[in-house]
Amino acid sequence: AQRVTQPEKLLSVFKGAPVELKCNYSYSGSPELFWYVQYSRQRLQLLLRHISRESIKGFTADLNKGETSFHLKKPFAQEEDSAMYYCALRVWGGGNKLTFGTGTQLKVEL
Amino acid sequence: DAGVTQSPTHLIKTRGQQVTLRCSPISGHKSVSWYQQVLGQGPQFIFQYYEKEERGRGNFPDRFSARQFPNYSSELNVNALLLGDSALYLCASSLASPASNQPQHFGDGTRLSIL
């Protein structure tokens, strides 16, 4: 069975500092990886997915199959980045089932 | 576009009771999935429905059931409620078949509290 691990429950950084939210997964096949974000009092929303290979709100994430990781990065944190971030995995051809990590709360301090 | 809508927003039940949660997908979306999110954890997959048929089931007991209607809305039913069923129940919809790689869009959820 697949598993997603986010080792940090809380990550606190200063505004302008680089951000890296860690995500590791375990799955023997080829997974599809996502980052979802939940801002305060808002619904869970898709931030980015590895197949798109795009930057959203300055965030990027690269799938590293060798290290089974999909870390989320941003070079300069902004106050509005403060939110809960979830890494999720979907199995190709396995329907819409998403396996989520436990989430990391990002707090950007002034 | 109203997005995925769920009702009710909050619900309080007692142990042993039964509950029905409702979800309306984004217009045009035919696939609906249900997730349970316990406090401090990520969402956990319960069911997926597409074209009114169950297409996936997570590791939940038979007390959990769901169905999808011709208009693609869905209901999640939980029988014989336990204290551990207290959670946020999320519904997500996507545009096309489970085999496609369409992203899922989540609703605000129903907060279920069991006393």
Side-chain angles (χ1 to χ4, degrees), chain B:
Chain B
D1 188 350
V4 176
T5 58
Q6 293 186 242
S7 63
T9 53
H10 295 87
L11 203 50
I12 299 175
K13 292 285 188 179
T14 57
R15 283 177 295 175
Q17 286 189 310
Q18 175 266 340
V19 69
T20 298
L21 311 181
R22 296 175 175 83
C23 171
S24 293
I26 292 172
S27 177
H29 285 197
K30 297 181 179 181
S31 179
V32 169
S33 297
W34 287 94
Y35 291 81
Q36 181 196 64
Q37 186 173 19
V38 174
L39 195 63
Q41 300 294 318
Q44 188 173 358
F45 175 78
I46 309 175
F47 286 112
Q48 183 200 357
Y49 276 77
Y50 175 71
E51 292 285 10
K52 295 167 288 183
E53 290 187 8
E54 181 183 304
R55 299 300 185 100
R57 172 185 281 258
N59 189 24
F60 280 80
D62 291 343
R63 299 184 296 107
F64 288 76
S65 63
R67 56 179 175 169
Q68 187 177 32
F69 298 97
N71 66 353
Y72 304 110
S73 67
S74 178
E75 286 182 351
L76 175 70
N77 295 284
V78 186
N79 293 323
L81 287 166
L82 303 174
L83 291 177
D85 295 331
S86 295
L88 180 69
Y89 289 84
L90 295 169
C91 176
S93 75
S94 60
L95 185 61
S97 71
S100 72
N101 60 353
Q102 296 293 321
Q104 293 182 62
H105 301 266
F106 284 83
D108 288 325
T110 293
R111 173 75 60 188
L112 176 62
S113 299
I114 310 301
L115 303 180

Side-chain angles (χ1 to χ4, degrees), chain A residues 9 32 34 36 38 41-46 49 51 84 86 90 92-103, chain B residues 2-4 31 33 35 37 40-45 48 90 94 96-104 106-108:
Chain A
K9 280 195 175 295
E32 186 179 6
F34 303 82
Y36 278 82
Q38 188 167 28
R41 298 188 182 88
Q42 294 188 26
R43 60 185 59 183
L44 196 62
Q45 57 186 283
L46 179 65
R49 50 198 301 203
I51 62 171
M84 191 72 172
Y86 293 96
R90 183 166 70 183
W92 286 106
N96 275 344
K97 175 185 175 181
L98 287 170
T99 300
F100 284 88
T102 52
Chain B
V4 176
S31 179
S33 297
Y35 291 81
Q37 186 173 19
Q41 300 294 318
Q44 188 173 358
F45 175 78
Q48 183 200 357
L90 295 169
S94 60
S97 71
S100 72
N101 60 353
Q102 296 293 321
Q104 293 182 62
F106 284 83
D108 288 325

Side-chain angles (χ1 to χ4, degrees), chain A residues 47-48 54-61 72-74 81 85:
Chain A
L47 179 62
L48 53 81
E54 57 188 346
S55 173
I56 304 293
K57 299 183 179 182
F59 285 98
T60 59
L72 184 66
K73 301 178 182 179
K74 185 171 183 177
D81 296 328
Y85 291 81

